[in-house]
Amino acid sequence: MYDVKEIRDDFPILSREVNGKPLVYLDNAATSQKPRRVLDKLAEYYELHNANPHRGVHRLAEEATMMFEESREKVAGFIGAEDSRSVIFTRGTTESINLVAYAWGRRNLREGDEVVLTESEHHSNLVPWQLAARDTGAKLRFIPIRDDGTLDMDEAEKLIGENTKLVSCIHASNVLGTVNPVEALAEMAHANDALMMVDGAQSGPHLPVDVASLGCDFFAASGHKMLGPTGVGFLWGRPEVLDSMEPFLGGGEMIREVHLDHSTWNDLPHKFEAGTMNVAQVVGLGAAVDYLNALGMENIREHEKKLGEYAYRRLSDMEGITIYGPSEDRTGVVSFALPDVHPHDISQLLDEEGVAIRSGHHCCQPLMRRLGVAATARASFYLYNTEEEVDLLMDAIQKAREFFGAFAS
Ligand code: PLP
């Protein structure tokens, strides 16, 4: 049974206070909190096993290698990847997308080619492609969103064509809570011999993910948003595509042979893991995956869906409020704006009540322009949040409105 009270006990930070009030942490789309199991694993790694993996034959090096590679197996299992060599550890989603934009994009894109993105991309899945387009002469095209925050799939059908070389799209929006039909986009991409990349920063932590059924060629996610440490994330790629690619970063471990004037490359996944990796963080990510698996991603999804819907319902009752994104089939991300309080003021006043939400452009400036705003306030839920916390959020918003004299009339 999904016992949220029991789950909360696993997260030490959730019992702290902010401004004399119990912390209500609703900024999970930015980063998640960490369970004791992950924190203990980091300490255990440093206290007992720390060494540089893949390089030494001494006992500690072997243990570090084993723990590092076990994490790879766990991540592969978590996303349904058949071959764990197709999981590359990176610093996170941003680095994973840059890896593809450099190692694949720079060698495969040329003038006349098109990369198809959407209007709702995080800057992480936009700027790397702007740089790749600038260097190669390829063009970027954008699938528009409809007013309810869902993708305009009729336009997608028109945009994805014979010039398309890659479609890259967020799986779930960090602003709108939309879950995009990436399976359908992958089909359109493949029908045109293009590749499909999925930015899974907001889906990996929240939805059951199976890369085979998504039908994508690349999938990127960040460990720190899925209970793991900062500084680690991963890129999954179809092995034959990864094999066909040149390295991203050069250095130790990614080589097979090095001569003064040239080198040859190691096998997957090491070809893409140059230098000493964030080993402890990779090991911590493995512990985070264990924790998520023990709860079950279906159960987590169900819990967050209910919370997101409850928050959406309660917010909808507020006079004058605008809620962005679809009313159904959403994740636990809810962005909103009030006519009488600036988003930054909302989050500042909420902080005084111990409620942590985010306001700003959420690294989605083009999407903000599409919505016609400079910023939104955003509450984002995770597996440890409760309905009582939604109520506390609502009370705090109400208080903020009263503070700004919204009900003076
Ligand atoms: N993509 C999306 C949809 C995100 O929400 C984020 C982070 O908020 C990122 C990419 C970037 O993730 P990171 O900063 O962990 O690389």
Side-chain angles (χ1 to χ4, degrees):
M1 203 193 77
Y2 196 92
D3 185 338
V4 73
K5 294 230 160 31
E6 225 169 74
I7 292 169
R8 290 179 70 81
D9 288 341
D10 293 336
F11 291 77
I13 206 169
L14 296 182
S15 55
R16 73 160 280 184
E17 293 191 342
V18 171
N19 293 322
K21 312 266 170 60
L23 166 69
V24 177
Y25 185 76
L26 304 179
D27 193 16
N28 294 287
T31 198
S32 71
Q33 300 302 346
K34 323 300 172 200
R36 173 77 63 202
R37 184 168 177 164
V38 169
L39 303 174
D40 286 350
K41 198 69 182 177
L42 290 172
E44 181 206 316
Y45 174 76
Y46 279 125
E47 285 175 6
L48 295 174
H49 310 288
N50 179 49
N52 206 325
H54 303 121
R55 287 153 172 83
V57 288
H58 59 78
R59 179 66 157 272
L60 293 190
E62 277 177 8
E63 287 173 7
T65 304
M66 199 187 73
M67 291 170 86
F68 187 88
E69 291 303 327
E70 259 176 23
S71 278
R72 200 189 304 281
E73 295 287 337
K74 288 175 186 177
V75 170
F78 186 69
I79 56 168
E82 264 181 33
D83 184 349
S84 67
R85 292 173 313 145
S86 55
V87 173
I88 316 290
F89 286 116
T90 62
R91 279 192 306 123
T93 308
T94 302
E95 186 175 301
S96 300
I97 296 171
N98 274 280
L99 190 162
V100 178
Y102 277 87
W104 178 85
R106 296 301 191 284
R107 290 186 77 88
N108 289 283
L109 295 172
R110 48 190 62 83
E111 225 168 301
D113 290 344
E114 293 178 354
V115 173
V116 176
L117 309 170
T118 78
E119 278 185 331
S120 49
E121 296 311 313
H122 188 281
H123 298 164
S124 297
N125 193 31
L126 173 57
V127 182
W129 298 114
Q130 289 175 345
L131 292 170
R134 186 192 66 186
D135 289 355
T136 60
K139 276 211 163 58
L140 305 184
R141 311 288 304 269
F142 298 94
I143 304 169
I145 56 164
R146 301 192 193 95
D147 288 341
D148 68 354
T150 58
L151 284 185
D152 187 332
M153 293 301 281
D154 295 334
E155 284 302 313
E157 188 93 54
K158 288 183 211 152
L159 279 169
I160 300 169
E162 56 180 18
N163 295 330
T164 309
K165 288 291 170 296
L166 177 94
V167 178
S168 188
C169 173
I170 40 165
H171 193 180
S173 168
N174 61 317
V175 175
L176 304 168
T178 322
V179 181
N180 286 329
V182 289
E183 300 87 342
L185 291 174
E187 271 180 33
M188 291 180 196
H190 292 153
N192 288 284
D193 293 327
L195 296 181
M196 176 75 204
M197 166 142 209
V198 175
D199 170 348
Q202 298 296 342
S203 65
H206 304 286
L207 313 174
V209 165
D210 179 65
V211 287
S213 44
L214 290 181
C216 57
D217 301 288
F218 298 110
F219 183 91
S222 298
H224 70 97
K225 293 185 197 285
M226 48 190 279
L227 310 184
T230 48
V232 64
F234 62 89
L235 170 74
W236 170 82
R238 231 168 6 95
E240 55 275 31
V241 181
L242 289 175
D243 263 331
S244 75
M245 282 159 54
E246 286 287 295
F248 172 38
L249 300 173
E253 199 51 37
M254 48 74 71
I255 48 80
R256 180 175 306 288
E257 263 184 36
V258 176
H259 301 267
L260 284 177
D261 58 350
H262 76 280
S263 303
T264 56
W265 316 134
N266 204 340
D267 294 329
L268 290 177
H270 310 293
K271 179 169 80 169
F272 292 109
E273 293 180 353
T276 302
M277 302 292 286
N278 290 340
V279 187
Q281 288 78 358
V282 167
V283 170
L285 175 57
V289 167
D290 285 342
Y291 190 93
L292 293 169
N293 282 337
L295 285 184
M297 289 309 293
E298 294 284 356
N299 299 330
I300 293 169
R301 166 71 176 139
E302 197 52 37
H303 175 74
E304 290 175 23
K305 197 160 175 278
K306 273 196 214 138
L307 272 186
E309 283 168 3
Y310 179 58
Y312 191 95
R313 241 188 0 260
R314 292 247 18 222
L315 281 167
S316 310
D317 290 341
M318 252 189 188
E319 206 187 313
I321 196 163
T322 307
I323 308 178
Y324 300 97
S327 56
E328 287 175 350
D329 291 332
R330 47 171 34 259
T331 62
V333 170
V334 189
S335 283
F336 58 95
L338 295 164
D340 38 20
V341 198
H342 190 278
H344 288 291
D345 293 332
I346 299 179
S347 43
Q348 205 153 5
L349 282 165
L350 262 53
D351 182 58
E352 282 174 25
E353 301 300 313
V355 180
I357 64 160
R358 173 88 174 265
S359 63
H361 53 64
H362 313 293
C363 298
C364 290
Q365 288 184 4
L367 175 59
M368 292 296 120
R369 272 180 218 113
R370 166 66 179 82
L371 299 175
V373 294
T376 71
R378 177 188 74 187
S380 52
F381 303 98
Y382 205 10
L383 51 89
Y384 37 66
N385 290 123
T386 63
E387 278 198 8
E388 292 79 56
E389 288 183 310
V390 176
D391 295 336
L392 288 169
L393 166 73
M394 300 309 300
D395 294 348
I397 295 175
Q398 192 66 19
K399 226 169 154 175
R401 294 192 86 172
E402 281 162 19
F403 180 83
F404 280 96
F407 306 107
S409 61

